[in-house]
Amino acid sequence: MEEITKIKKEIDLDRRGFIKKVLSGAIGGSLLLVMPATAREIAEQIPGMKEQTDLFIADKKFAFVVDITGCIGCGSCCIADKNEYQVPDGHYRTWVERYIIDDHDEVYVDSPNGGLDGYTEPRDDIKNPIRDTFFAPKLCNMCENPSCVQVCPVGATFRTEDGFILVDDKRCVGCSYCVQACPYSVRFINPVKHTAEKCTWCYHRVRQGMLPACVNVCPVHARKFGDLNDKSSEVYKLLHEPHVISVLKPDMGNKPSLHYLGLRREVI
Amino acid sequence: MQQNFKSSYNVHVVRILLTFVGMIIVGSLLRSLLLPSEFGDYGHYRPGAVTEEANREMRNKTNDSCLDCHYFVKKIHLKGVHEVVSCEVCHGAYSDHVKDGKVIGEMPVYRGEEIKSLCLRCHNKIIRARPPESIKMIAMPEHLEEKNVRTDHVCNQCHHVHAPYKWIKEAREMMGLPEKWEGGSSWKK
């Protein structure tokens, strides 16, 4: 960055001399390093999305896979999510739970501040030997049969034709029916706007060809997002080849599009 | 008597019908007043909400977008094992720092002891739920004790935050111990 200020100073001191210097190549090299900075658009992470201008996304069926065997519980996803939506303190569009199962099959779950500050302390209140322990990130399940949409009295929450469940905060009256109807407790009432809010799998980012914020920052690639219509995508392969993969609460019949790799039956 | 009864019967029917028609008119008037114009075109919702959500401001970008300007960090970050870690997790959201290609705000930078808790967020061994295949972990202060240094050292005294093995590799090379490093010119292991 000193480079930029140096160049700016050079320009201010003597424009003519500066141009001469550039032409002679003296600082041309360093200028080249600085020039593309503002000009370049960031590359699409999901190809072909910027060309789509229709109301709904065409020819793509997105799915989300969370790898429980990979998650390290660092809370990077929670930080990115809070930054992306400026989520009010104490509410979470996505969060990470820590599961500890002892050899008596007793299950201990905690999620201090939704995992936003990371996990800094071990649990030392567990007397029996620990059989299994892992982190389970949670977010919107984007159900094919969403209970939240069924109960909304004003049509403020809906499922788009491309499979995303969104909230229309202009129509929402904040009645909280959807908050209670969601089997996965992903919804809350925003204390500032007094409307329902939840994870959207970063619909706005996806529409611009970017991965959801949490997927983009996960350092161990435990969150995977992709198109099921693309047979070469990672999510397609995970869902169409033998893997230990399941959804949360399948008995509810909501048919989530969020899948968990290595899911234990204790996770609810 | 008969006549009278019949006429009042007809009046009743007409009244009921009129009330119905009135209710339908008032109802549809209210409906068109209360519902946005495009409501129901695709389903029981307002299609404009989809466009509004799609046009929400994108506050986080990618590492590449930071590295467009931070050329000196780029030369280090992309060569180290932390290449996979997001700048914005350790620093902050892009849109608090840059708007339309111009710097509009300062980025927070962790310093001193804060760096230790930042690193331990991902590398702390005592949090047992971490799958060891995903990440290498260390226990404090054992990590420092086994290196025979004072235990109040902060991580960035030995590890470059953007490429943790940079200095360690360079130090080893200086002391003629390069064989452990297979990454060639990079600072990966």
Side-chain angles (χ1 to χ4, degrees):
Chain A
M1 288 310 95
E2 291 137 19
E3 204 75 31
I4 298 182
T5 20
K6 223 174 86 189
I7 293 170
K8 277 198 184 131
K9 261 195 202 130
E10 292 255 20
I11 301 178
D12 287 338
L13 278 177
D14 176 14
R15 267 169 201 277
R16 195 178 294 261
F18 172 76
I19 291 166
K20 265 190 193 158
K21 261 194 202 163
V22 170
L23 288 178
S24 69
I27 45 177
S30 40
L31 194 67
L32 271 179
L33 307 177
V34 180
M35 289 303 272
T38 48
R40 208 165 67 93
E41 278 246 324
I42 37 172
E44 274 187 330
Q45 291 172 317
I46 310 168
M49 289 303 295
K50 277 202 182 122
E51 291 142 35
Q52 298 218 11
T53 49
D54 292 349
L55 186 60
F56 303 111
I57 305 166
D59 308 324
K60 287 197 193 311
K61 187 171 188 288
F62 288 109
F64 205 117
V65 176
V66 173
D67 183 359
I68 290 201
T69 60
C71 178
I72 60 170
C74 65
S76 293
C77 46
C78 307
I79 297 179
D81 191 69
K82 192 167 175 94
N83 279 341
E84 186 72 31
Y85 297 96
Q86 295 170 301
V87 184
D89 289 340
H91 296 276
Y92 312 94
R93 293 169 73 118
T94 185
W95 68 98
V96 179
E97 293 169 357
R98 167 167 62 182
Y99 278 77
I100 301 175
I101 305 163
D102 72 9
D103 65 351
H104 284 55
D105 278 349
E106 198 73 51
V107 184
Y108 302 83
V109 189
D110 66 342
S111 185
N113 198 12
L116 186 65
D117 310 323
Y119 287 82
T120 49
E121 300 295 331
R123 290 259 319 232
D124 41 21
D125 55 336
I126 299 157
K127 282 170 216 85
N128 297 318
I130 294 168
R131 167 168 76 77
D132 192 7
T133 166
F134 53 88
F135 292 107
K138 295 278 182 78
L139 63 157
C140 179
N141 283 252
M142 294 293 170
C143 309
E144 264 171 56
N145 297 324
S147 339
C148 51
V149 173
Q150 282 166 34
V151 300
C152 181
V154 293
T157 189
F158 52 93
R159 187 167 187 273
T160 63
E161 281 169 21
D162 43 33
F164 287 77
I165 288 100
L166 303 178
V167 182
D168 179 354
D169 59 6
K170 296 227 174 76
R171 277 198 73 70
C172 178
V173 291
C175 71
S176 319
Y177 280 1
C178 55
V179 178
Q180 297 193 33
C182 176
Y184 307 102
S185 312
V186 301
R187 288 174 167 256
F188 60 90
I189 297 290
N190 184 310
V192 183
K193 292 194 287 178
H194 300 291
T195 56
E197 194 174 326
K198 69 160 189 89
C199 158
T200 56
W201 287 9
C202 287
Y203 189 69
H204 62 299
R205 292 176 62 92
V206 174
R207 288 306 300 249
Q208 295 177 58
M210 305 305 288
L211 289 171
C214 57
V215 177
N216 181 46
V217 301
C218 180
V220 291
H221 196 53
R223 287 177 179 245
K224 305 160 205 288
F225 182 81
D227 177 15
L228 288 181
N229 288 347
D230 172 6
K231 293 203 162 79
S232 63
S233 70
E234 189 185 7
V235 288
Y236 180 88
K237 286 181 187 153
L238 284 172
L239 287 172
H240 289 85
E241 287 166 10
H243 285 101
V244 182
I245 194 160
S246 182
V247 296
L248 295 176
K249 301 186 187 169
D251 304 341
M252 298 292 296
N254 278 37
K255 287 206 182 164
S257 322
L258 165 66
H259 302 261
Y260 283 87
L261 201 58
L263 187 68
R264 316 324 197 245
R265 69 185 148 80
E266 285 85 359
V267 182
I268 46 165
Chain B
M1 209 57 208
Q2 198 86 347
Q3 194 67 29
N4 252 343
F5 175 75
K6 219 178 172 189
S7 86
S8 75
Y9 174 79
N10 281 340
V11 169
H12 273 297
V13 173
V14 170
R15 267 195 206 139
I16 288 171
L17 282 176
L18 274 179
T19 319
F20 268 132
V21 170
M23 274 163 74
I24 288 168
I25 292 170
V26 172
S28 46
L29 258 175
L30 271 176
R31 198 184 134 88
S32 64
L33 274 179
L34 289 176
L35 280 187
S37 56
E38 286 169 328
F39 195 92
D41 283 2
Y42 299 92
H44 191 63
Y45 61 91
R46 187 173 62 91
V50 180
T51 330
E52 281 161 29
E53 187 62 44
N55 291 335
R56 189 194 274 268
E57 188 206 1
M58 193 157 52
R59 288 178 39 78
N60 286 283
K61 292 266 166 97
T62 57
N63 281 11
D64 282 349
S65 57
C66 307
L67 296 175
D68 270 352
C69 291
H70 289 283
Y71 186 74
F72 296 104
V73 178
K74 180 176 183 170
K75 285 204 278 192
I76 295 170
H77 194 252
L78 291 184
K79 275 168 82 185
V81 280
H82 271 177
E83 181 192 17
V84 291
V85 186
S86 163
C87 315
E88 290 164 297
V89 165
C90 293
H91 291 292
Y94 182 94
S95 61
D96 291 335
H97 180 48
V98 179
K99 195 170 184 232
D100 300 328
K102 288 195 188 67
V103 174
I104 53 161
E106 251 177 55
M107 268 303 200
V109 182
Y110 288 81
R111 300 281 182 209
E113 281 293 312
E114 291 168 353
I115 296 183
K116 202 156 133 187
S117 47
L118 176 70
C119 307
L120 289 177
R121 195 185 177 111
C122 296
H123 291 287
N124 200 350
K125 200 171 221 154
I126 54 167
I127 309 299
R128 289 197 32 209
R130 306 217 145 125
E133 314 80 47
S134 276
I135 194 154
K136 294 262 171 56
M137 287 164 289
I138 52 127
M140 287 294 270
E142 289 83 344
H143 183 58
L144 298 181
E145 281 164 5
E146 70 190 31
K147 308 248 163 347
N148 297 318
V149 294
R150 280 187 21 212
T151 50
D152 56 0
H153 271 68
V154 185
C155 316
N156 67 326
Q157 283 177 274
C158 301
H159 295 287
H160 192 296
V161 290
H162 296 142
Y165 282 144
K166 180 182 191 293
W167 294 326
I168 297 174
K169 187 189 174 186
E170 285 166 357
R172 282 191 199 222
E173 275 172 353
M174 249 188 274
M175 290 159 68
L177 299 164
E179 61 280 356
K180 214 187 154 193
W181 303 90
E182 288 142 12
S185 65
S186 79
W187 298 305
K188 294 166 192 170
K189 226 176 184 175

